Amino acid sequence: MTIKVHGSPVSTASMRVFACLHEKGVPFELVPVNLAVGEHKSEAFLSLNPFGQVPALQDGDLTLFESRAITNYIAHAYADSGNPLFYKDPKKMAICSVWMEVEAHQFDPAASKLTWELCLKPLFGMTTDDDVVAEFEAKLGKVLDIYETRLSKSKYLGGDCFSLADLHHLPNMKYLMPTKAAQLFNSRPHVSGWAADIMARPAWLKASGQ
Amino acid sequence: MVVKVFGPVAAACPQRVLACLLEMGVDFEVVHIDLESREHKRPDFLPRQPFGQVPTIEDGDFRLYESRAIIRYYATNLEDKAVVDQWLEVEAHNFNDLVYTMVLQLLVLPRMGDRTDFGLVQSCAIKLEKVLDVYEQRLSKSTYLAGDAFTLADLSHLPAMRYLTTEAGYMHLVSERKNVNSWWVNISARPAWKKVMHLMA
């Protein structure tokens, strides 16, 4: 039975899951959820994710929500397929796990705010708030300063190899690179090199419809 | 060799780690970091945790930070890992930010001489009620968040739940929900958590 992903191609969290499935070469069926008409708050969807957020995944009789729990599940359940996305050594995995938390707690809050202001609000006919943009560009800049140091010592955030710690960043980066926020990445050489590398991965190009 | 945990025993994120180490029977030593004097932002602390936050641990020459990464490293008995991960993510993204904001506004800012934004507290409380409604429904189907056994998903809630229901004064959000209330009474009575409370006293 094919994996089903209930989500939307514009949702960063959904894209996070698509990226993972493509890296692992695991086939799946996208069941579109129409965010514009509030389908994610419908009874049917709430039975998959009671928090009314995309994506949700069904693999046989397992239903999961929360994109980072889903990517972790896929990476481990399909460990032998496609590209490895985690480390087997417990200490290496722990370091990778640190940077997965950093993406979730330090990078994402600032990056997703910028994605909202610079990319999504205009799509919905709303006006960008330049003060908010300035505030969150400054916050993201501070986080990327730490990334710059980390990436001067390590090829990828989680260690020597590409992993979920890097992958989780891709959806927000896809939105931000065509905007003025790109200079936050491009002005930091190691961050810039890392970003270019991971965004050029064939699995990501497929997952993001490029 | 004893694991060193850097951070104040009173802070929520170090407590998440201490609860886990106590549950797993891992010996540790707390190295107090004084947040009020901004010790965590000083140049001699930053090499341990470049974001200037607590906790961070040192286990021999192995160092880690981010409390949920630390607990995942030590709790190796992760059955049904996917469902545990799911509810850990829920705690991190749907629950924690709201409670953190409320506790920051009600308890931390006044201590620093700043004013509480009661409007913000109220709007967080309203959102938190909706989240706890989902928990209520979930806990009507299983004793613990990830199933029938206590896991990291429940443990991760302990520090913030305690702040919310005692010092922040929002016990009613829990006591008004039968299943959430039973769950809270149950998990907060665990010996390992009581030991964390003892360390805090």
Side-chain angles (χ1 to χ4, degrees):
Chain A
M1 185 181 280
T2 314
I3 286 180
K4 286 187 182 159
V5 180
H6 300 256
S8 161
V10 306
S11 135
T12 50
S14 301
M15 287 155 73
R16 190 169 289 126
V17 169
F18 304 149
C20 181
L21 288 163
H22 279 280
E23 286 286 346
K24 302 307 288 172
V26 172
F28 66 96
E29 178 197 327
L30 169 63
V31 180
V33 177
N34 190 336
L35 304 177
V37 305
E39 195 183 340
H40 50 312
K41 308 294 178 189
S42 68
E43 285 284 330
F45 188 77
L46 289 172
S47 69
L48 297 172
N49 182 351
F51 293 95
Q53 296 165 324
V54 288
L57 173 136
Q58 286 175 302
D59 186 0
D61 54 11
L62 175 69
T63 301
L64 284 181
F65 53 90
E66 285 296 335
S67 65
R68 296 172 188 82
I70 295 171
T71 57
N72 266 287
Y73 164 67
I74 293 162
H76 284 87
Y78 298 91
D80 296 331
S81 173
N83 301 321
L85 293 177
F86 65 92
Y87 297 83
K88 294 200 174 123
D89 172 76
K91 286 185 179 173
K92 287 187 177 171
M93 185 58 222
I95 305 276
C96 179
S97 185
V98 165
W99 289 92
M100 288 165 70
E101 294 295 314
V102 166
E103 180 275 326
H105 296 289
Q106 317 281 1
F107 178 88
D108 190 76
S112 58
K113 194 78 179 173
L114 288 172
T115 293
W116 171 247
E117 287 293 334
L118 293 170
C119 309
L120 298 174
K121 269 172 120 177
L123 266 184
F124 301 137
M126 296 160 72
T127 324
T128 301
D129 183 331
D130 292 324
D131 290 337
V132 172
V133 171
E135 183 192 344
F136 283 89
E137 278 185 337
K139 286 184 175 166
L140 186 56
K142 291 202 173 108
V143 172
L144 292 178
D145 284 338
I146 296 169
Y147 277 37
E148 182 65 13
T149 307
R150 170 63 178 166
L151 292 163
S152 71
K153 296 175 201 155
S154 177
K155 182 159 191 227
Y156 293 97
L157 278 179
D160 301 322
C161 306
F162 178 83
S163 70
L164 289 182
D166 310 285
L167 183 151
H168 286 172
H169 294 76
L170 288 165
N172 274 304
M173 281 168 52
K174 179 185 184 216
Y175 272 115
L176 294 178
M177 286 315 200
T179 74
K180 66 195 191 79
Q183 60 83 20
L184 294 170
F185 295 83
N186 298 333
S187 59
R188 294 168 170 87
H190 292 97
V191 171
S192 180
W194 163 78
D197 179 318
I198 66 173
M199 291 180 78
R201 289 178 71 88
W204 174 242
L205 297 175
K206 278 194 217 141
S208 53
Q210 293 170 77
Chain B
M1 184 176 278
V2 158
V3 176
K4 288 188 182 161
V5 181
F6 294 81
V9 165
C13 296
Q15 287 185 351
R16 185 173 288 116
V17 170
L18 297 179
C20 177
L21 295 176
L22 284 157
E23 290 282 351
M24 303 306 298
V26 174
D27 287 330
F28 62 88
E29 172 200 326
V30 176
V31 177
H32 180 75
I33 300 291
D34 187 43
L35 303 185
E36 256 155 77
S37 66
R38 296 182 66 78
E39 191 180 345
H40 51 315
K41 305 293 182 190
R42 292 211 293 260
D44 53 347
F45 183 80
L46 293 175
R48 288 190 182 280
Q49 217 288 17
F51 297 92
Q53 294 168 328
V54 289
T56 168
I57 64 118
E58 195 180 286
D59 186 347
D61 52 15
F62 184 56
R63 293 182 177 190
L64 278 182
Y65 57 87
E66 283 293 342
S67 63
R68 294 172 193 82
I70 296 169
I71 64 178
R72 280 181 166 113
Y73 175 67
Y74 284 101
T76 47
N77 55 345
L78 285 177
E79 276 164 33
D80 284 326
K81 186 176 177 295
V83 181
V84 175
D85 272 341
Q86 177 183 273
W87 287 95
L88 262 170
E89 294 297 314
V90 167
E91 181 272 323
H93 298 287
N94 294 55
F95 175 86
N96 193 61
D97 289 342
L98 296 173
V99 180
Y100 176 80
T101 302
M102 289 167 74
V103 170
L104 182 76
Q105 290 292 328
L106 290 167
L107 302 173
V108 178
L109 294 184
R111 256 185 255 151
M112 287 164 38
D114 280 331
R115 290 216 337 252
T116 301
D117 180 343
F118 287 100
L120 180 57
V121 171
Q122 184 57 2
S123 77
C124 284
I126 291 170
K127 288 177 188 168
L128 185 58
E129 292 220 61
K130 297 207 167 96
V131 171
L132 291 176
D133 285 341
V134 178
Y135 280 46
E136 182 67 7
Q137 198 194 66
R138 172 64 182 178
L139 294 163
S140 71
K141 298 174 197 152
S142 61
T143 314
Y144 299 94
L145 285 173
D148 294 322
F150 176 81
T151 68
L152 291 185
D154 310 286
L155 182 150
S156 202
H157 287 81
L158 286 162
M161 280 289 290
R162 193 206 65 86
Y163 269 106
L164 181 74
T165 57
T166 56
E167 290 152 38
Y170 275 83
M171 183 68 209
H172 61 282
L173 295 184
V174 172
S175 57
E176 282 164 7
R177 292 167 173 85
K178 179 168 153 292
N179 301 315
V180 174
N181 192 60
S182 306
W183 168 74
W184 170 241
V185 166
N186 181 347
I187 66 173
S188 56
R190 290 179 73 89
W193 181 243
K194 291 201 180 256
K195 283 186 202 156
V196 176
M197 291 297 92
H198 200 70
L199 288 171
M200 194 173 143

